[in-house]
Amino acid sequence: LRLRFSSDGSTVVVLDHDRSAGTSIIRHWRVADGQAGKAWAIPLGIGMNSPPIAGPDGKTLYLVAGGSVYVYDLRTGEDRSP
């Protein structure tokens, strides 16, 4: 389980690994009111060795794995990796 707040403190992101399913689950909440955003699964291994990084805009999530950076839209779960 990895947890990280956005730099402005408005969003908290949790990355929870489910080894039996072979996935990690991304969950996030607005701190001000506890409103949950969309949760989605990503392949196990992405973000396992580093914490999730919420972008300063509160809308982008960055994860690192094997020297690659993965970029996700926090609102939709869309993979925006280069």
Side-chain angles (χ1 to χ4, degrees):
L1 178 73
R2 299 189 182 280
L3 177 134
R4 181 63 64 107
F5 285 88
S6 61
S7 60
D8 68 358
S10 67
T11 303
V12 64
V13 178
V14 174
L15 177 62
D16 190 13
H17 307 295
D18 184 348
R19 293 179 193 276
S20 63
T23 62
S24 295
I25 306 298
I26 304 287
R27 294 181 177 89
H28 63 100
W29 294 266
R30 280 193 318 233
V31 172
D33 60 8
Q35 178 68 39
K38 178 182 175 83
W40 72 94
I42 60 174
L44 190 64
I46 298 175
M48 286 192 67
N49 296 319
S50 64
I53 301 168
D57 62 4
K59 300 174 186 173
T60 307
L61 176 69
Y62 302 91
L63 297 166
V64 177
S68 296
V69 176
Y70 296 84
V71 182
Y72 294 92
D73 184 312
L74 268 176
R75 295 166 295 169
T76 65
E78 177 184 352
D79 184 349
R80 294 191 174 172
S81 302

